[in-house]
Amino acid sequence: MSLFVDVERRFPGGPTIAARLDLALAGPQVVVVFGPSGAGKSTLLRCVAGLERPDRGEVRFGGETWSGDGRWVPIQARGVGLLFQDFALFPHLSVADNVGYGAPRAGRAARVDALLRRFGVEALAGRRPAALSGGEQQRVALARALAPGPRLLLLDEPLSALDLPTRARLRGELKALLAQAAVPALVVTHDLAEAQALADHVVVMIDGRVRQVGAPDDVFDRPADAAVARAVGVDNVLPASVLGVEAGRATLEVGALRLVAAGTPDVGGPAALAVRAEDVVLGPAGDGANALAGRVAGVAREGPLARVTLDCDGLALVAVVARRAAQALEPGAVVGASIDPAAARAVPMNDGGPP
Amino acid sequence: MSLDWQALRLSLELAAATTAILTALGLPLAYWLATTTWRGRVAVEALTALPLVLPPTVLGFYVLFALGPRSPLGRAWEAVTGAPLAFSFEGILLASVLSSLPFAVQPFAAAFARVDRRLVEASWSLGASRVATFFRVVLPLSRAGVVSGMVLTFAHTVGEFGVILMVGGNVPGRTRTVSIAIYDHVQALDYEAAARTSALLLSFSFAVLVVTYALQPRARAARA
């Protein structure tokens, strides 16, 4: 499957979405478009679906031009299956009629039967959607979307409307169901856990633009720039200047500190040090690379962990430690910290600081 | 004791015809109003609501003028049918269609606007055309609103007075509807006949409204 999107969509008095995406997928993989709310992810999805007309640009799928060059293929002819937040099942139709809605007339009953069985909801065939649990609705919605034989599934924040425990449960189930569907899928979400659970490929969108595309490990562990680092939940994104770059590593001046991190930003350009809180290791002050000392400014519990904020010569650095380990950390105490240079990233700063 | 059966029958015929025409015209117009993003929409909305605020005499005056032998419509009608449009059943039908327009279009449009947009989009993605989506998803989910619009149109037409008096005059069997018959009785100081016919109209209207409100979806029946 190949999907090419290069669209511009302006909203009066709102942001301009100018997204470019060129995906070539081997097999039925899941592409997650991830980014903060308002980044234009849904607009991108709606342009692919044919629910939104881009002001400019094109959408191509396989060898077909869906929009652009004066062509417009209506959504009915694109062969896309949609899955919405809340699943949007037809409330006035039974489960079987929902699934059969878009199934080809010939052999409809057999096809509905097969899909209901495949997703384990054959016992619910006669029920109305209002009588289904969230998990059942998800299965029925997926069966309905697959009934016409789509070439691409589009999921718009599929789990966002659910309460937290249900969401966590359905996340894992959705991954399995998508694998079972055997159709490539484009999933839009602002939920990091959802993105990490589902993605074979990740597309990061921020402020209407695609900022990074890659495998999940690439994107989550090696963010391309400071904005992506913040979006993928890197706790420490500290403004820095680049003193030198050598062998894939950069020496950064971060506040009054001098630190080494992986990455090759432009020397002299605006940059940032991006390091996850779990990669800041607290312990006796050492003297290796990236060893520093700080004063404990605050400790906040987070379930079995504790989030420790250190003041390292005026620089706020966040670390995560086991809660037991945090009990020894009194505010004001001086502790050593070290950052593995391989776990820290030196990235270009391109967004002018935190929002 | 004579009830105005002829007038009542004419009123019911007029109401049925008006309801049929306004359902056929009002459903697409209301759906367009409920879904369009065109800015000129507000002008069309205002236009359909005008009969609510205009005195019936004003609406009637314009319709009478449009039906008259000097207007293109009146002339064309007379050329085709050989009879004048003013003071005819067809004339008061046209007048009552215009005058009842908001009673059909507003409930229709409100019901359509309540249908979740994503259900419509899901239907499109499943291959259903816009028209098929309207009949398979939008209309079934708007049934209560559509029925109440039809009932209100019917009831409003039965109670129509000013516009019909302006446009139809008072021709027994052709334009003398039940409300005009009551007016006639009062003019003729036949209060007994006026009271009988009025009571008939009152109980009819009350029954219609009871049915309408009974059809409204309750909060408990609303889907999640």
Side-chain angles (χ1 to χ4, degrees):
Chain A
M1 181 221 48
S2 74
L3 176 66
F4 176 81
V5 185
D6 182 8
V7 292
E8 199 175 303
R9 180 85 174 85
R10 288 177 292 274
F11 294 95
T16 295
I17 313 297
R20 193 176 190 287
L21 183 60
D22 191 354
L23 290 169
L25 300 181
Q29 292 180 312
V30 179
V31 178
V32 170
V33 181
F34 171 76
S37 299
K41 308 181 297 289
S42 285
T43 302
L44 177 77
L45 181 116
R46 293 174 66 80
C47 285
V48 173
L51 290 170
E52 190 115 26
R53 269 175 202 267
D55 295 313
R56 188 198 64 70
E58 55 185 321
V59 176
R60 289 201 306 263
F61 181 81
E64 296 169 29
T65 299
W66 279 352
S67 76
D69 290 337
R71 287 178 55 90
W72 176 260
V73 177
I75 177 171
Q76 288 90 348
R78 292 192 183 192
V80 294
L82 282 182
L83 216 75
F84 290 96
Q85 204 179 84
D86 281 336
F87 309 120
L89 295 172
F90 302 125
H92 60 302
L93 299 180
S94 69
V95 164
D97 287 345
N98 264 281
V99 175
Y101 190 94
R105 207 170 292 263
R108 177 177 292 166
R111 185 161 178 81
V112 169
D113 248 26
L115 278 164
L116 291 177
R117 220 161 314 154
R118 184 157 140 210
F119 290 103
V121 287
E122 66 271 28
L124 310 173
R127 291 226 205 136
R128 289 292 168 94
L132 303 182
S133 72
E136 290 164 345
Q137 288 190 31
Q138 171 167 279
R139 286 156 175 270
V140 173
L142 204 55
R144 180 182 72 172
L146 290 171
R151 297 175 292 172
L152 177 65
L153 281 175
L154 301 171
L155 294 80
D156 193 0
E157 303 273 4
L159 306 176
S160 298
L162 303 170
D163 57 84
L164 212 56
T166 314
R167 203 192 302 172
R169 192 161 48 76
L170 292 200
R171 202 185 282 146
E173 197 178 308
L174 183 57
K175 173 78 182 168
L177 293 175
L178 285 177
Q180 209 179 8
V183 175
L186 196 66
V187 182
V188 158
T189 182
H190 67 269
D191 182 351
L192 187 61
E194 207 170 305
Q196 285 173 326
L198 299 177
D200 295 312
H201 294 268
V202 180
V203 175
V204 180
M205 263 189 97
I206 299 168
D207 291 339
R209 279 168 179 72
V210 172
R211 300 291 274 266
Q212 189 171 0
V213 181
D217 286 352
D218 268 339
V219 173
F220 295 126
D221 296 342
R222 291 180 284 284
D225 58 47
V228 173
R230 272 195 205 93
V232 301
V234 174
D235 311 78
N236 299 294
V237 181
L238 308 169
S241 50
V242 185
L243 299 175
V245 173
E246 198 183 341
R249 284 189 177 186
T251 306
L252 301 175
E253 190 170 55
V254 189
L257 304 168
R258 190 167 288 214
L259 298 168
V260 179
T264 55
D266 292 341
V267 176
L273 173 75
V275 57
R276 290 188 178 275
E278 62 265 34
D279 291 323
V280 177
V281 179
L282 300 188
D287 54 3
N290 294 351
L292 35 104
R295 196 173 292 278
V296 176
V299 179
R301 281 186 179 188
E302 264 181 20
L305 302 174
R307 176 172 292 263
V308 181
T309 309
L310 292 182
D311 177 358
C312 303
D313 292 333
L315 199 71
L317 193 66
V318 178
V320 169
V321 297
R323 216 177 76 207
R324 284 173 65 95
Q327 278 166 352
L329 296 173
E330 293 290 325
V334 174
V335 292
S338 62
I339 301 168
D340 179 356
R345 302 293 303 172
V347 293
M349 170 74 82
N350 48 6
D351 62 349
Chain B
M1 132 175 152
S2 90
L3 273 172
D4 298 288
W5 291 117
Q6 193 188 41
L8 184 65
R9 197 182 144 187
L10 183 71
S11 278
L12 295 181
E13 276 172 15
L14 180 68
T18 303
T19 306
I21 292 173
L22 273 182
T23 305
L25 296 180
L27 287 177
L29 175 61
Y31 191 52
W32 178 78
L33 281 174
T35 54
T36 185
T37 53
W38 183 54
R39 280 187 208 177
R41 183 195 75 235
V42 289
V44 180
E45 267 179 320
L47 214 57
T48 58
L50 260 187
L52 287 177
V53 295
L54 274 185
T57 45
V58 172
L59 184 65
F61 171 76
Y62 282 116
V63 174
L64 185 61
F65 199 75
L67 299 184
R70 266 174 299 183
S71 87
L73 177 66
R75 268 209 309 273
W77 180 269
E78 202 163 339
V80 173
T81 67
L85 191 50
F87 309 113
S88 71
F89 180 76
E90 289 78 8
I92 60 170
L93 178 59
L94 179 73
S96 80
V97 162
L98 288 176
S99 141
S100 289
L101 189 65
F103 293 89
V105 170
Q106 289 186 352
F108 293 174
F112 294 154
R114 275 195 300 268
V115 174
D116 188 342
R117 181 84 193 145
R118 292 169 311 160
L119 297 175
V120 171
E121 295 179 343
S123 168
W124 293 347
S125 78
L126 293 166
S129 68
R130 278 161 195 265
V131 173
T133 297
F134 177 79
F135 284 108
R136 293 175 70 185
V137 175
V138 178
L139 203 52
L141 292 175
S142 313
R143 206 178 50 197
V146 169
V147 170
S148 76
M150 291 169 69
V151 171
L152 285 174
T153 302
F154 191 90
H156 181 248
T157 307
V158 169
E160 190 69 78
F161 174 70
V163 175
I164 290 177
L165 193 64
M166 289 289 286
V167 175
N170 191 352
V171 186
R174 256 204 349 239
T175 65
R176 185 172 182 264
T177 61
V178 68
S179 54
I180 288 175
I182 295 169
Y183 178 71
D184 277 354
H185 292 318
V186 174
Q187 291 286 297
L189 303 179
D190 184 355
Y191 293 123
E192 203 183 323
R196 277 198 305 271
T197 313
S198 293
L200 188 70
L201 206 53
L202 176 71
S203 29
F204 168 78
S205 303
F206 179 68
V208 163
L209 290 179
V210 167
V211 169
T212 308
Y213 285 119
L215 284 171
Q216 293 303 314
R218 299 275 171 247
R220 62 177 161 76
R223 65 199 166 73

